Amino acid sequence: MDLEEIVFQIILNAGNAKSSCFEALKNAKEGDFKSAEKYLNNAEEEIIKAHNIQSSMLQKEASGDHQNVTLLLMHAEDHMMSAILARDLITEMIELYKFIFQTKGIMLN
């Protein structure tokens, strides 16, 4: 794959992760914590895919195979970091929803 294809793969994985995170939050808001967890797990898988691509690029860079830093590459990195941030924050928000549901005496599923 050339650099552009690699970058678009990172963007795709990160976008999928972010979408899954927000689906998890939507499900948690509705009290469906099992589905929320499935979406978070899917998000984690997508983040790992993006991270593995990034790690491969870093290894190549460290071995002397330098890539040009393009605006598109920076955009992909932004997407990855925002997906990671979404995962972290939404995981905490889901814990808050669980607490709210438990406090109200609503059975969790």
Side-chain angles (χ1 to χ4, degrees), residues 32-70:
D32 187 355
F33 295 102
K34 285 183 183 177
S35 292
E37 186 164 334
K38 287 179 187 176
Y39 279 109
L40 280 179
N41 289 337
N42 184 54
E44 185 64 25
E45 290 172 11
E46 293 291 329
I47 288 170
I48 288 170
K49 289 177 190 175
H51 186 265
N52 287 342
I53 295 168
Q54 181 193 46
S55 294
S56 175
M57 291 177 70
L58 289 169
Q59 288 171 348
K60 287 179 182 177
E61 181 80 20
S63 69
D65 183 8
H66 301 288
Q67 296 287 334
N68 290 327
V69 177
T70 65

Side-chain angles (χ1 to χ4, degrees), residues 16-27:
N16 288 344
K18 210 170 357 175
S19 293
S20 288
C21 286
F22 282 97
E23 282 297 318
L25 183 60
K26 177 182 159 214
N27 279 269

Side-chain angles (χ1 to χ4, degrees), residues 48-97:
I48 288 170
K49 289 177 190 175
H51 186 265
N52 287 342
I53 295 168
Q54 181 193 46
S55 294
S56 175
M57 291 177 70
L58 289 169
Q59 288 171 348
K60 287 179 182 177
E61 181 80 20
S63 69
D65 183 8
H66 301 288
Q67 296 287 334
N68 290 327
V69 177
T70 65
L71 186 57
L72 191 57
L73 178 58
M74 290 173 34
H75 181 65
E77 292 296 308
D78 283 344
H79 269 283
M80 194 171 103
M81 295 308 298
S82 69
I84 291 168
L85 180 60
R87 180 207 52 202
D88 293 347
L89 290 174
I90 288 173
T91 298
E92 291 299 318
M93 293 171 76
I94 290 171
E95 290 303 313
L96 289 172
Y97 273 120

